[in-house]
Amino acid sequence: MSIEVTVAPENELLNAENLRIDPNLALRVPANLALRRMMLAFATAEKKVLVACADPTDRAGLDAMERYLNMPVVARRADTETLRRTLHRVYPDPLAPALRPGAAPRVEADDDSIALTDEILRFAVLRQASDIHIEPRRDGVRIRLRVDGQLEELRRLPLARLTGLISRLKVQCGMDIAEKRAPQDGSFVWTSGAGRDRMAVDIRAATVPLKYGERMTLRLLNQQAGGLTLEKLGMLPADMQCFADAIAAPHGLILINGPTGSGKSTTLYAAIRGMDHESLNIITVEDPIEYEMEEISQVSVDSAEKITFANSLRSVLRHDPDVVMVGEIRDLETADVAIKAGLTGHLVMSTLHTNSAPGAVTRLIDMGVQPYLVAATLRMSVAQRLVRRLCVNCRKPRALRAGEAAALGRGGAAGETVYDAVGCPYCAGRGYAGRLGVYEIMVCDDEIHHLIGSKATEHRIREVALLKGMRSLRHDATDKVLAGITSVAEAIENTDGPTIRK
């Protein structure tokens, strides 16, 4: 056996809290060994396991790690304090046994679904996943995680394990465990650890019956809730100023547009977080409440109890709000109340499922809202998408090719420096770490209002908005490519426009 040791200078120590941890490696090592030796297996590179450790010369500890991992290890010196905090987050139970290499979660008995549930949830949190998919199939249960917008398989379980797993999760969500033929949804808070190492994750769950059993999808909500700001979401300074000016207005309607999973609600929460909570009365109407914020009042919509967006919004307007956030405008009734609230001295913020900023105008009119009301109320429309953020520790520079520049709409940018994803310990070898938004912001001034009121086409509104300085989604994505924040592939794949010419 030969253990490779990488001892970096003090100013190049690994920051363990920034590592993307592969739980299939970390949890293969017994908790007591990892905590006692201050060692964390976190990623693979060139068929070797990277191990962050406080003392890379601890050969006995590295020998033990290699035996459990059954692979050669490479020791990387890590900052002791960040490593300690990370180890206690990964191993909240010092007596927990290790996983067998390549095995399913360690639970074997059908009645021990509690440990199986915690195992899967821990894997998802360590991988910083946004969703967990539990999918029954003919040959077993496939469990997948969505990480940075991409689905990856966690593992497979025997089909016989499905009922116990789903029932346990239903109990936590407050669902009816006897109902297996109708879709259900619910939520719960999963906690782990204690004291300053305690983790709490808000989880939304939904089930649907399939041929081989119930499918369940879990959305993990709170992992980015602590520091939501428009800057962290990826808005460039000029866009942030436009957005800040709009949300500082005393009344009107602001719409965030995009497909499901494009970060619309997150942008609204970031906007609310930046407001003055002391002087403003802020109330939200949501289905369900995604991020709890103590400083504001949040109303949960429940269609089963006939608490709809529209009647909740009507009730909220009797509570003297300055700012109202509506989770989504889904129908004419909600749109009508939101528009009238914006006309009568309230700032209303909401979301729509449209592909572009001008498309919000068409959607509202198609719902049945009169164009003159949209013109009188709409202050700003924002379209957004999410792209993966390049890992700054390993991105590789190169020159932008002519075909790529043409596809990005920047023919003159050919030859400029852009970056490709590579892979390193900080991104678990994927080349990307996290996501950011790309935005198309249409500020509705008098000319745009006149076009809306005169029933101009979406295409005409877009033309004028672009002439007045609106940057398209592809344009904003390209700016972030040239700034080295994301890659050419991400910009082209996630925004509308021409593809690369071969």
Side-chain angles (χ1 to χ4, degrees):
M1 181 201 70
S2 175
I3 296 173
E4 183 179 338
V5 179
T6 303
V7 183
E10 288 297 320
N11 62 351
E12 294 182 19
L13 293 178
L14 287 177
N15 182 337
E17 290 182 318
N18 291 338
L19 297 174
R20 282 295 182 96
I21 299 166
D22 183 346
N24 280 304
L25 297 172
L27 299 183
R28 222 186 279 175
V29 177
N32 58 358
L33 170 63
L35 293 167
R36 187 176 72 253
R37 296 288 187 175
M38 289 284 285
M39 294 182 176
L40 174 64
F42 64 92
T44 56
E46 298 178 350
K47 298 182 179 180
K48 298 177 182 177
V49 178
L50 303 180
V51 177
C53 48
D55 180 11
T57 64
D58 181 1
R59 296 286 177 155
L62 292 170
D63 285 348
M65 295 286 284
E66 188 166 79
R67 286 196 299 272
Y68 278 102
L69 295 165
N70 199 29
M71 290 177 67
V73 301
V74 177
R76 295 289 303 270
R77 180 190 287 166
D79 171 70
T80 302
E81 185 56 29
T82 62
L83 179 59
R84 186 203 66 78
R85 288 197 295 267
T86 303
L87 283 167
H88 282 281
R89 178 166 57 88
V90 175
Y91 304 104
D93 179 5
L95 301 179
L99 295 178
R100 300 187 308 279
R106 57 180 169 263
V107 183
E108 298 297 335
D110 287 339
D111 60 354
D112 202 1
S113 298
I114 294 175
L116 173 58
T117 301
D118 285 346
E119 192 89 49
I120 292 170
L121 292 172
R122 179 168 305 285
F123 270 55
V125 170
L126 291 179
R127 283 290 295 122
Q128 299 177 34
S130 60
D131 299 87
I132 304 171
H133 295 254
I134 302 172
E135 306 165 342
R137 301 158 65 91
R138 181 195 298 271
D139 57 351
V141 181
R142 180 172 66 172
I143 299 176
R144 295 194 291 174
L145 306 179
R146 188 175 294 279
V147 181
D148 293 340
Q150 308 293 310
L151 279 173
E152 59 181 49
E153 186 168 313
L154 173 63
R155 60 194 49 207
R156 292 178 184 247
L157 297 171
L159 193 56
R161 302 303 309 279
L162 177 68
T163 300
L165 174 60
I166 296 295
S167 294
R168 169 59 186 167
L169 288 166
K170 281 184 172 182
V171 168
Q172 290 182 280
C173 294
M175 297 180 187
D176 181 358
I177 62 172
E179 178 57 76
K180 299 182 179 181
R181 293 188 291 179
Q184 298 186 67
D185 57 73
S187 63
F188 66 100
V189 178
W190 178 75
T191 59
S192 176
R196 62 179 178 177
D197 299 314
R198 181 179 181 272
M199 289 188 296
V201 181
D202 295 321
I203 296 175
R204 277 167 42 193
T207 66
V208 66
L210 302 181
K211 181 177 181 179
Y212 297 104
E214 288 182 282
R215 173 195 169 107
M216 178 174 276
T217 301
L218 307 171
R219 173 155 289 185
L220 286 64
L221 292 171
N222 78 335
Q223 296 184 50
Q224 298 179 357
L228 293 174
T229 65
L230 295 172
E231 184 176 21
K232 288 182 179 180
L233 295 180
M235 275 195 186
L236 297 176
D239 289 339
M240 279 195 296
Q241 188 59 55
C242 285
F243 201 90
D245 291 343
I247 65 176
H251 56 81
L253 177 64
I254 296 172
L255 293 175
I256 312 295
N257 311 281
T260 300
S262 59
K264 301 184 295 298
S265 296
T266 304
T267 298
L268 288 180
Y269 275 104
I272 289 175
R273 188 171 291 277
M275 292 179 173
D276 184 353
H277 298 159
E278 292 297 322
S279 63
L280 294 174
N281 181 18
I282 304 172
I283 304 179
T284 72
V285 181
E286 307 172 61
D287 179 22
I289 294 170
E290 293 197 15
Y291 301 110
E292 292 188 10
M293 298 178 68
E294 294 182 0
E295 307 91 341
I296 66 176
S297 301
Q298 296 174 278
V299 178
S300 180
V301 170
D302 187 345
S303 57
E305 299 294 333
K306 299 183 179 179
I307 306 173
T308 66
F309 274 114
N311 59 33
S312 295
L313 183 52
R314 286 191 188 94
S315 177
V316 160
L317 294 177
R318 301 187 190 103
H319 290 265
D320 186 32
D322 297 296
V323 179
V324 179
M325 185 191 101
V326 183
E328 182 184 345
I329 294 178
R330 298 175 177 173
D331 50 43
L332 175 59
E333 188 181 13
T334 306
D336 183 63
V337 179
I339 290 282
K340 289 176 180 176
L343 283 171
T344 55
H346 308 89
L347 181 66
V348 180
M349 301 188 296
S350 190
T351 69
L352 275 176
H353 287 286
T354 64
N355 292 324
S356 67
V361 175
T362 304
R363 179 59 55 85
L364 288 173
I365 293 172
D366 286 346
M367 283 182 180
V369 180
Q370 292 298 317
Y372 74 90
L373 290 175
V374 179
T377 313
L378 188 60
R379 186 171 294 277
M380 172 180 282
S381 180
V382 179
Q384 73 173 75
R385 301 290 188 277
L386 293 177
V387 296
R388 288 185 290 174
R389 190 188 296 268
L390 282 167
C391 176
V392 297
N393 298 289
C394 63
R395 61 182 184 174
K396 182 179 179 181
R398 65 169 174 85
L400 181 66
R401 293 185 281 271
E404 294 171 331
L408 293 171
R410 300 282 182 89
E416 291 193 27
T417 300
V418 295
Y419 294 82
D420 285 332
V422 178
C424 72
Y426 285 102
C427 60
R430 287 165 171 78
Y432 297 95
R435 291 191 288 176
L436 74 154
V438 293
Y439 300 91
E440 177 179 276
I441 298 180
M442 183 177 77
V443 178
C444 298
D445 59 10
D446 290 343
E447 186 174 356
I448 298 293
H449 286 153
H450 175 74
L451 289 171
I452 296 170
S454 60
K455 303 180 182 179
T457 65
E458 179 182 332
H459 178 72
R460 177 58 182 159
I461 295 172
R462 183 175 188 81
E463 280 184 336
V464 173
L466 289 170
L467 288 173
K468 297 175 78 66
M470 182 181 81
R471 295 159 57 252
S472 67
L473 287 165
R474 178 65 61 91
H475 188 153
D476 189 43
T478 301
D479 286 343
K480 287 162 183 172
V481 168
L482 296 175
I485 302 172
T486 192
S487 66
V488 174
E490 282 292 298
I492 291 174
E493 181 180 343
N494 292 286
T495 60
D496 295 330
T499 55
I500 299 174
R501 294 199 307 268
K502 299 296 183 183

